[in-house]
C-alpha cells in the first residue's frame, strides 16, 4: 500500500495569466501558497478475488474491468501511462470538498502521479510532478486549466511563479521575514460558500475572452509582481495586500459574466463591512471558497456576519506532495 499526501492551495494574485494561450504570447506571473489541507490517495494492488479487476473510490465507486472503462478522467489518463496491467485499487480522501476553488483537481492528479510512480519504485521531484500534471491535464485530458495549481500541489510553499513566452515556468519561493509569515497566517480567513461549480467550464469562458480582456489580465499579473515586493520587503503591511485584493477582485469579475453572482457579491461586501482589508473568490469563480485578509481583532465580527458559512482555519506554506506511507509489497 502506498499513500500520497498533496496540499491544496490558495492563490493570491495573477490568476488568468497562467493559461498557456495567454503566457505564451504575453508572459505571466502568479503568487499563492500551499495550505495545510490535503488530498490523500491510497494505491495498492487489488487482490484477484472479485469480478471486477480495478476499484476506484472517490465521490463515486467504479468497478471497471479495464483502464479504458474508468470514468474519472485523471485516473484513466494516469493509469493509461503508468499501469502495469495488475488489478489496482485507488481510494481518494480529502480534507476539503472538490470543485471549491482550491486546486483540488490538480492536487488529485499530482498525488496520483506521485503514488503511481512510487509504486514503480521511482522517486519524483516536485519539478517532474508539476510538469507531468500540467501535461496530463492540458494535453491528455484537455481540460481548461491553467499552469499554477499543479505547481503548488507539487512544490508546496509560498511562491512567486513566472511564466515565460517560451513556455518555461520558474517557481521561486518567497523569502519572507518571520513576522511577515506570521502576519499572513494571523490575517488570512477562509470561508466555504457552499456553492459548487465546474471550474473547467468557467475557465473555458475566460479563455475565450482573453483577447478582449488583455488590459485586465495584464493588470492582474502586474499585481503579482507588486505583491512579491511587499511580501519580501523589510516591513510588510497586510493592509496593502488587502487593497490589492480588492483591485484584483474587480478585475477578475470583468473576465466572464459568471465569475461572480449577487450572492457572492453580498458575501464579499459583508466581510468588508465587518472589517476585512480585502478578499477574493478562489479558483475560476462561480462558487467555492472565499478568502479574506483582516486584522485578527476583526475576525470575530467577520465570522458573525458570515455565520451561515463554514469558516476553515488554515496555515500557509505547506509542504508539497509527499509519500507518507510506502509498503509496495503489502499484498501477498
Amino acid at each position: 500500500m502506498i499513500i500520497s499526501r498533496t496540499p491544496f492551495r490558495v492563490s493570491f494574485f495573477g490568476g488568468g495569466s497562467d493559461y498557456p494561450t495567454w503566457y505564451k504570447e504575453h508572459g505571466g506571473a502568479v503568487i499563492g501558497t500551499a495550505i495545510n489541507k490535503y488530498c490523500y490517495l491510497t494505491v495498492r494492488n487489488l487482490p484477484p478475488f472479485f469480478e471486477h479487476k480495478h476499484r476506484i473510490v472517490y465521490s463515486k465507486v467504479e468497478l471497471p474491468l479495464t483502464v479504458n472503462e474508468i470514468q474519472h478522467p485523471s485516473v484513466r489518463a494516469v493509469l493509461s501511462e503508468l499501469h502495469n496491467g495488475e488489478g489496482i485499487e485507488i481510494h481518494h480522501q480529502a480534507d476539503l470538498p472538490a470543485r471549491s476553488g482550491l486546486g483540488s483537481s490538480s492536487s488529485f492528479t499530482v498525488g496520483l502521479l506521485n503514488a503511481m510512480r512510487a509504486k514503480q519504485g521511482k522517486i519524483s521531484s516536485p519539478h517532474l510532478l508539476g510538469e507531468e500534471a500540467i501535461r496530463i491535464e492540458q494535453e491528455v485530458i484537455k481540460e481548461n486549466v491553467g499552469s499554477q495549481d499543479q505547481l503548488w500541489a507539487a512544490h508546496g510553499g509560498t511562491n512567486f511563479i513566472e511564466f515565460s513566452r517560451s513556455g518555461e515556468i520558474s517557481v521561486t519561493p518567497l523569502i519572507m521575514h518571520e513576522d511577515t509569515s506570521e502576519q499572513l497566517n494571523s490575517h488570512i480567513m477562509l470561508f466555504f460558500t457552499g456553492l459548487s461549480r465546474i471550474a473547467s467550464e468557467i475557465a473555458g469562458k475566460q479563455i475565450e475572452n482573453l483577447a478582449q480582456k488583455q488590459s485586465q489580465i495584464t493588470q492582474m499579473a502586474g499585481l503579482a509582481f507588486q505583491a512579491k515586493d511587499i511580501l519580501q520587503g523589510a516591513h510588510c503591511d497586510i493592509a496593502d495586500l488587502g487593497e490589492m485584493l480588492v483591485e484584483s477582485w474587480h478585475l477578475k469579475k470583468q473576465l466572464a459574466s459568471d465569475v461572480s453572482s449577487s450572492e457572492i457579491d453580498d458575501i464579499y461586501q459583508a466581510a468588508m463591512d465587518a472589517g476585512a482589508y480585502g478578499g477574493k473568490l478562489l479558483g475560476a469563480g462561480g462558487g467555492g471558497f472565499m478568502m479574506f485578509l483582516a486584522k485578527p481583532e476583526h475576525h470575530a465580527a467577520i465570522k458573525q456576519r458570515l455565520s451561515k458559512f463554514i469558516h476553515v482555519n488554515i496555515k500557509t506554506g505547506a509542504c508539497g506532495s509527499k509519500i507518507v506511507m510506502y509498503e509496495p509489497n503489502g499484498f501477498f
Side-chain angles (χ1 to χ4, degrees):
M1 180 178 290
I2 296 167
I3 302 176
S4 67
R5 187 191 74 180
T6 308
F8 296 136
R9 66 96 182 101
V10 166
S11 59
F12 292 129
F13 299 101
S17 73
D18 64 310
Y19 293 121
T21 52
W22 172 267
Y23 64 75
K24 289 183 178 180
E25 182 175 353
H26 306 280
V30 296
I31 272 188
T33 185
I35 61 174
N36 62 337
K37 302 299 177 191
Y38 303 95
C39 158
Y40 297 87
L41 281 161
T42 302
V43 173
R44 68 164 189 154
N45 289 336
L46 184 67
F49 307 124
F50 309 98
E51 292 182 1
H52 52 275
K53 186 169 184 178
H54 310 295
R55 178 178 168 89
I56 318 297
V57 181
Y58 49 109
S59 57
K60 300 178 181 179
V61 177
E62 296 190 46
L63 305 174
L65 293 175
T66 68
V67 169
N68 288 337
E69 293 177 1
I70 296 173
Q71 296 176 22
H72 193 291
S74 182
V75 176
R76 185 175 64 250
V78 172
L79 292 192
S80 68
E81 298 187 6
L82 298 179
H83 182 237
N84 62 4
E86 297 177 316
I88 196 165
E89 184 168 33
I90 297 171
H91 278 253
H92 167 256
Q93 294 173 298
D95 293 330
L96 299 174
R99 296 180 179 179
S100 57
L102 298 176
S104 58
S105 295
S106 293
S107 293
F108 185 104
T109 302
V110 168
L112 184 58
L113 282 167
N114 203 4
M116 289 301 300
R117 285 177 55 82
K119 189 173 183 295
Q120 295 178 343
K122 298 176 181 178
I123 298 174
S124 303
S125 69
H127 175 79
L128 182 147
L129 287 175
E131 293 285 341
E132 279 295 282
I134 289 171
R135 180 185 65 82
I136 289 287
E137 295 186 350
Q138 293 179 358
E139 299 178 19
V140 180
I141 303 175
K142 299 188 182 301
E143 291 188 336
N144 296 314
V145 295
S147 303
Q148 60 172 304
D149 295 353
Q150 307 88 342
L151 301 174
W152 272 302
H155 289 262
T158 302
N159 305 303
F160 176 78
I161 303 176
E162 192 166 5
F163 308 92
S164 72
R165 292 180 177 86
S166 68
E168 293 185 4
I169 304 173
S170 63
V171 180
T172 305
L174 291 180
I175 308 302
M176 299 182 290
H177 286 273
E178 184 177 352
D179 60 343
T180 297
S181 180
E182 291 175 354
Q183 277 194 75
L184 189 59
N185 279 313
S186 68
H187 282 65
I188 195 167
M189 304 185 76
L190 200 65
F191 290 90
F192 184 52
T193 66
L195 305 171
S196 65
R197 79 287 184 275
I198 300 177
S200 182
E201 295 178 359
I202 298 174
K205 296 178 181 178
Q206 294 182 22
I207 292 171
E208 291 175 1
N209 293 337
L210 286 179
Q212 292 77 40
K213 304 295 182 180
Q214 291 192 24
S215 174
Q216 290 88 340
I217 299 294
T218 300
Q219 292 178 71
M220 291 169 73
L223 289 171
F225 285 92
Q226 293 179 42
K228 173 176 175 282
D229 292 338
I230 292 173
L231 286 166
Q232 295 193 139
H235 303 287
C236 174
D237 190 342
I238 300 296
D240 292 338
L241 294 177
E243 292 176 5
M244 291 166 61
L245 283 172
V246 174
E247 180 181 353
S248 179
W249 172 237
H250 289 308
L251 290 168
K252 181 172 181 174
K253 290 200 294 182
Q254 298 174 36
L255 299 182
S257 59
D258 48 4
V259 166
S260 188
S261 65
S262 59
E263 184 174 1
I264 291 169
D265 286 341
D266 289 344
I267 297 171
Y268 195 100
Q269 191 58 52
M272 294 296 290
D273 291 343
Y277 286 136
K280 63 174 294 189
L281 185 68
L282 297 173
F289 279 90
M290 297 190 77
M291 181 272 294
F292 298 99
L293 294 178
K295 287 183 178 180
E297 53 263 38
H298 291 156
H299 284 199
I302 294 171
K303 290 178 184 178
Q304 179 61 35
R305 290 293 298 271
L306 302 182
S307 59
K308 71 175 184 177
F309 304 106
I310 299 173
H311 172 256
V312 178
N313 287 310
I314 61 169
K315 294 293 183 182
T316 64
C319 293
S321 184
K322 62 189 300 184
I323 301 300
V324 295
M325 180 175 181
Y326 184 68
E327 296 182 2
N329 301 315
F331 173 62
F332 289 163

